Amino acid sequence: MAQTWFDRRTHAGRRWTVEELLEAKRASGQRLSVVIPARNEAATVGDVVGRIHEDFVRRCDLVDELVVIDGESTDDTARIAAEAGATVHSLAAVRPELGTRVGKGEAMWKAQFVTTGDLIGFVDADLTEWDTHFVPSLFGPLLTDASVALVKGFYERPFRSGSTDDPNGGGRATELVARPLLALARPELTAVVQPLAGEWAVRRSVYETLHVPIGYGVELAALIDVADSLGLDAIAQVDLGRRAHSHQSLHDLGPMSVQLMAAVFKRIRQAVPADVTLRQFRAVAEGYAPVVHDIDVTERPPAVQVAR
Ligand SMILES: O=c1ccn([C@@H]2O[C@H](COP(=O)(O)OP(=O)(O)O[C@H]3O[C@H](CO)[C@@H](O)[C@H](O)[C@H]3O)[C@@H](O)[C@H]2O)c(=O)[nH]1
Ligand SMILES: O=C(O)[C@H](O)COP(=O)(O)O
């Protein structure tokens, strides 16, 4: 099943020219939004926003809205993103009556209330090696095939830190958590090459029906829920080439992994507490110092169920 899907639904990047996609967009009358969730990404957000703005907002009208959801950054992320051409919304200012949780998924959920595109594409703000063709490549299957609801990007993932430069060493949470979880819980999704890719696109009409984990479970949840509700064939994947990002520390991937596991557990009807405590240990001179994380694994309801 997984291999059959892979053969049918895997596309080369740059398969469609921008002109072809502009034509498909005009013919279908659809509007496109690009959403960039960003929390303390002052070092990279200007490059990500600026280059997308230049290629697809200023030079042509492929992208109708370029939006950054600023997740309570304490650095200059919001100012830099606005200067580079994005419309910037602070997480807390979007539908404040709904409250605010800090997390990537929260930003992507709230993005639904400040965008209008029929198609929504997500791009991470911490990219250090990437290309603007990511954007048309992700929208290509949605603009050209009405049966596709969600498109995942995939790519080579180097791991670069200090003197380490391993061309395929990136994606620690992907390899140690997401892939094994899918192998156990949803084997039909194991042909998704990068299940955690932050670069993906979805039809609003589908996204607004999904429950959205407030943290890093957002990608796994969307994959599973779209496969369950619309079938595997509603998902496509596109080869984006190479992508590098700023790496989190191993210990910071612990809380992320709890959120990934919680999203999958909930989808196999395994009970999960609303708040999870993760306890890590650091060796110090006097012994071992515990580092305790309280992790929010709640989910937001489908946007269609939220009163406007
Ligand atoms: O509270 C947060 C945390 C992160 N982000 C942004 O989300 C993106 C990805 O976050 P990051 O912390 O860099 O995650 P990664 O370590 O890159 O995690 C990978 O794996 C995650 C789990 O699936 C995915 O959500 C990510 O997109 C994917 O890049 C970046 O633009 C962040 O600024 C927020 O907007 N709010
Ligand atoms: O997607 C992942 O697995 C996490 O973002 C970690 O990626 P990294 O190991 O390349 O930092």
Side-chain angles (χ1 to χ4, degrees):
M1 192 179 190
Q3 187 61 47
T4 311
W5 171 81
F6 182 97
D7 295 341
R8 275 175 52 76
R9 288 304 202 195
T10 303
H11 301 287
R14 303 178 194 269
R15 173 170 163 184
W16 299 275
T17 64
V18 173
E19 290 67 34
E20 284 170 327
L21 295 181
L22 283 169
E23 185 46 44
K25 182 187 164 194
R26 277 184 211 113
S28 66
Q30 297 182 97
R31 287 169 48 77
L32 276 53
S33 304
V34 170
V35 170
I36 301 173
R39 178 173 165 84
N40 294 334
E41 304 290 5
T44 47
V45 72
D47 177 64
V48 175
V49 170
R51 285 166 58 197
I52 293 176
H53 185 271
E54 173 63 19
D55 285 2
F56 306 119
V57 178
R58 202 185 71 75
R59 285 199 193 158
C60 69
D61 59 355
L62 185 70
V63 171
D64 299 288
E65 293 173 328
L66 178 53
V67 170
V68 166
I69 308 288
D70 176 38
E72 321 243 304
S73 297
T74 52
D75 66 8
D76 268 349
T77 293
R79 179 185 59 78
I80 293 169
E83 285 176 5
T87 301
V88 180
H89 297 274
S90 137
L91 194 53
V94 179
R95 299 289 304 266
E97 77 281 9
L98 300 173
T100 302
R101 326 290 284 247
V102 171
K104 185 194 184 207
E106 173 82 351
M108 293 163 72
W109 181 72
K110 281 201 162 180
Q112 296 178 89
F113 305 114
V114 290
T115 55
T116 57
D118 304 286
L119 308 181
I120 304 174
F122 298 106
V123 178
D124 280 354
D126 68 334
L127 304 185
T128 53
E129 194 174 329
W130 68 290
D131 194 284
T132 56
H133 84 77
F134 284 17
V135 171
S137 295
L138 288 169
F139 284 124
L142 293 169
L143 283 168
T144 57
D145 185 342
S147 69
V148 174
L150 185 153
V151 180
K152 287 297 287 189
F154 69 93
Y155 26 64
E156 277 177 52
R157 300 191 60 167
F159 189 90
R160 296 200 180 101
S161 179
S163 58
T164 307
D165 188 352
D166 178 349
N168 285 300
R172 290 160 293 167
T174 302
E175 302 304 332
L176 294 172
V177 181
R179 235 186 264 298
L181 271 175
L182 290 175
L184 288 164
R186 285 292 193 282
E188 66 278 15
L189 283 168
T190 52
V192 177
V193 180
Q194 288 295 339
L196 300 189
E199 290 67 39
W200 56 287
V202 63
R203 293 189 194 282
R204 174 186 297 274
S205 58
V206 172
Y207 190 51
E208 67 187 6
T209 68
L210 303 180
H211 287 86
V212 179
I214 63 104
Y216 289 106
V218 52
E219 277 85 22
L220 277 184
L223 264 186
I224 293 172
D225 292 347
V226 169
D228 285 356
S229 59
L230 299 175
L232 203 50
D233 250 12
I235 299 171
Q237 60 183 351
V238 179
D239 185 353
L240 300 180
R242 177 189 277 267
R243 178 249 206 207
H245 68 151
S246 55
H247 303 286
Q248 299 203 45
S249 73
L250 177 64
H251 284 103
D252 286 341
L253 294 182
M256 173 193 285
S257 299
V258 169
Q259 292 182 326
L260 298 175
M261 291 184 187
V264 175
F265 277 25
K266 289 180 186 188
R267 284 158 179 79
I268 57 172
R269 303 197 194 294
Q270 171 72 47
V272 175
D275 291 299
V276 181
T277 301
L278 177 70
R279 195 175 293 271
Q280 298 172 329
F281 292 90
R282 305 278 192 278
V284 292
E286 311 77 47
Y288 293 88
V291 180
V292 177
H293 304 267
D294 292 320
I295 302 166
D296 189 342
V297 294
T298 54
E299 301 200 356
R300 289 294 204 168
V304 282
Q305 293 175 12
V306 176
R308 299 267 162 174

